[in-house]
Amino acid sequence: MAAAAGDVCGAVPRGRAGAGAAAEARFISSAKGKGLFATKNICKGETVFVERPVVSSQFLWNALYNYRACDHCLRALETAEENAQRLLGKSSLVLPHPEQCSIRKDLHQQCPRCQVMYCSAECRQAALEQYHQVLCLGPSRDDPTHPLNKLQEAWRNMHYPPETSSIMLMARMVATVKQAKDKEWWIKTFSQFCNKTANEEEEIVHKLLGDKFKGQLELLRLLFTEALYDEHLSRWFSPEGFRSLFALVGTNGQGIGTSSLSQWVHACDALDLPMLQREELDAFIDQLYKDIEKESGEFLNCEGSGLYVLQSCCNHSCIPNAETSFPENNFLLHLTALEDIEAGEEICISYLDCCQRERSRHSRNKILRENYLFTCSCPKCLAQADDADVTSDEEEEGEGETDDAELEDEMTDV
């Protein structure tokens, strides 16, 4: 069950997993860097830890298209019915069992100066204390000439949906340091995240911006500097430092998805109903998914990204023993064991989706090299090392296909 909106901000301190976490980061090698290891035996289905990001931000196009989320924790702000109506483009839709919607509009608050919305007073205060004093636009929120608005517009023009990162994640990193009393603590915290070589950084920049805009990094840096320069972080504003910061976010950013509709669906699934009513409700939900797919395609959730200290240490495996999710409809990341994990065993997640993991070793590693700049050597890949390095016609034909079951998973497993 989702936590009450007011429980979000104080749940986990400063981006670290809570006390008694069943995992810890350890250095593996200079080639592989850090990994996450179990500190005790973990059972299948057990929550390994719940982690709050050190910083997070909603994607800019996602926000522009009215996917309404808390500006701090990304909790969806629409009711499930409002969410479904918008995705369907059908304001007359009425959802059954409205009492199963977890959204508490009576708790919502906005910044009195710039009117950005929060799910609770706790989130508004947490944002104000960490970064919002620096980033609050006040009456300039709709002024296209304001440096922050110019920066965001430039980013939107370079990074179209589907989005994988946001320049505002970097902006919140800078604002956090600018506001902090203990600036060195925060700089050290951000320095913990995986860093890449200069050549790898160039590849990441290219991947994030694409061929059309790969030469525009300098424009972004100049706009970033105009909006946010701080002498304590002067290196981040240099050409080399900005590229490194850009690559840090591109390498370590974890996607976050929230949805009030998916929360409603989970709540409805748990209802104890007579058989006929259960069949009618399931049929309604199935048809709702199909109709939403026709109208809105794959863009179903409030989406953003965050930096998580522990989660970022999780290495990839094509046969992962853990997975991440956001069952509380906010930025709190849950890492859950997919199988029994012994104390001392490395905890791995998959950077590939279910369909990608079923493809050939060659196809899997092609995706991993292009997006994450490494070749996988997990047990599955080693066992298939002698397989032909050819992508099958069946795999190529299967790319991009989404059946109803996969669509339902995407909508509800946030």
Side-chain angles (χ1 to χ4, degrees):
M1 180 164 300
D7 294 339
V8 172
C9 295
V12 186
R14 293 227 261 191
R16 306 305 294 268
E24 66 180 11
R26 300 177 190 168
F27 180 76
I28 298 176
S29 67
S30 56
K32 198 169 184 180
K34 291 182 287 189
L36 196 70
F37 293 84
T39 57
K40 64 178 185 179
N41 291 338
I42 303 169
C43 297
K44 178 179 180 180
E46 185 179 340
T47 298
V48 182
F49 60 74
V50 179
E51 186 176 16
R52 177 183 172 184
V54 291
V55 67
S56 62
S57 180
Q58 187 178 3
F59 292 147
L60 290 177
W61 279 106
N62 193 259
L64 188 69
Y65 279 115
N66 206 30
Y67 286 72
R68 294 173 51 219
C70 174
D71 198 59
H72 182 64
C73 78
L74 272 73
R75 181 185 296 276
L77 297 178
E78 297 173 301
T79 65
E81 188 168 274
E82 289 171 336
N83 191 184
Q85 289 172 346
R86 177 175 55 77
L87 291 172
L88 277 175
K90 189 175 180 181
S91 60
S92 60
L93 175 75
V94 176
L95 291 185
H97 302 285
E99 75 284 351
Q100 298 304 314
C101 177
S102 62
I103 300 304
R104 293 280 306 278
K105 287 198 167 187
D106 57 309
L107 297 177
H108 295 179
Q109 292 198 5
Q110 63 184 38
C111 170
R113 296 191 66 243
C114 69
Q115 282 74 56
V116 298
M117 292 297 299
Y118 299 98
C119 68
S120 65
E122 289 82 1
C123 271
R124 182 174 66 83
Q125 188 63 28
L128 188 67
E129 292 177 356
Q130 183 179 336
Y131 55 81
H132 191 66
Q133 293 175 52
V134 169
L135 299 179
C136 182
L137 291 170
S140 299
R141 183 180 182 187
D142 297 319
D143 179 2
T145 66
H146 190 283
L148 272 175
N149 285 332
K150 287 163 62 178
L151 176 65
Q152 293 180 72
E153 181 63 16
W155 176 261
R156 279 193 294 264
N157 287 332
M158 295 179 196
H159 197 69
Y160 295 105
E163 298 171 272
T164 56
S165 189
S166 171
I167 195 71
M168 293 309 293
L169 194 63
M170 296 165 59
R172 289 188 177 183
M173 292 170 68
V174 172
T176 294
V177 175
K178 291 180 78 162
Q179 282 191 209
K181 292 180 180 178
D182 188 354
K183 299 181 188 300
E184 290 303 317
W185 187 92
W186 279 103
I187 293 172
K188 183 178 179 181
T189 296
F190 290 131
S191 71
Q192 293 180 56
F193 291 97
C194 171
N195 292 298
K196 297 292 186 180
T197 66
N199 287 339
E200 288 174 326
E201 288 173 355
E202 290 285 0
E203 288 188 57
I204 294 165
V205 169
H206 179 217
K207 179 65 183 177
L208 281 175
L209 294 181
D211 289 325
K212 185 176 179 182
F213 294 110
K214 64 181 179 180
Q216 298 287 341
L217 189 65
E218 179 62 11
L219 171 61
L220 275 180
R221 185 184 72 84
L222 293 174
L223 291 171
F224 193 75
T225 302
E226 179 188 1
L228 295 161
Y229 183 78
D230 184 87
E231 61 181 13
H232 293 95
L233 298 168
S234 57
R235 184 183 176 276
W236 285 4
F237 296 91
S238 70
E240 297 78 13
F242 184 69
R243 184 188 63 200
S244 294
L245 187 63
F246 203 94
L248 183 152
V249 168
T251 303
N252 296 279
Q254 162 68 44
I256 302 169
T258 64
S259 168
S260 52
L261 181 59
S262 73
Q263 294 289 301
W264 174 83
V265 170
H266 282 305
C268 286
D269 286 344
L271 289 174
D272 185 13
L273 298 174
M275 183 178 294
L276 181 59
Q277 289 185 33
R278 167 54 59 191
E279 290 175 353
E280 290 176 346
L281 181 58
D282 288 348
F284 174 87
I285 292 173
D286 288 343
Q287 188 60 48
L288 181 64
Y289 287 159
K290 294 174 183 176
D291 293 343
I292 287 177
E293 181 187 16
K294 292 176 184 177
E295 183 67 26
S296 298
E298 63 183 288
F299 300 108
L300 305 171
N301 302 323
C302 296
E303 295 181 343
S305 62
L307 296 177
Y308 295 82
V309 174
L310 280 180
Q311 177 276 335
S312 70
C313 297
C314 289
N315 288 311
H316 164 81
S317 173
C318 296
I319 43 173
N321 56 11
E323 67 177 358
T324 61
S325 63
F326 300 89
E328 298 185 48
N329 196 31
N330 58 28
F331 62 14
L332 291 179
L333 179 149
H334 288 232
L335 187 73
T336 306
L338 293 174
E339 58 187 56
D340 292 345
I341 303 172
E342 295 183 0
E345 185 179 348
E346 185 174 6
I347 299 172
C348 294
I349 60 176
S350 179
Y351 301 170
L352 306 175
D353 64 31
C354 294
C355 294
Q356 291 170 334
R357 291 202 298 274
E358 295 306 312
R359 299 180 65 184
S360 69
R361 171 181 174 272
H362 173 72
S363 296
R364 296 196 307 271
N365 275 286
K366 182 174 183 289
I367 296 169
L368 292 169
R369 281 192 299 270
E370 289 178 353
N371 292 278
Y372 302 100
L373 312 183
F374 74 90
T375 298
C376 184
S377 59
C378 74
K380 182 175 182 178
C381 286
L382 291 176
Q384 297 175 345
D386 294 331
D387 292 358
D389 286 345
V390 177
T391 302
S392 69
D393 292 338
E394 289 81 4
E395 286 183 328
E396 292 295 342
E397 290 171 3
E399 283 191 61
E401 293 182 1
T402 304
D403 61 25
D404 292 339
E406 289 168 4
L407 176 65
E408 181 170 344
D409 285 344
E410 183 177 356
M411 290 191 68
T412 59
D413 291 346
V414 296

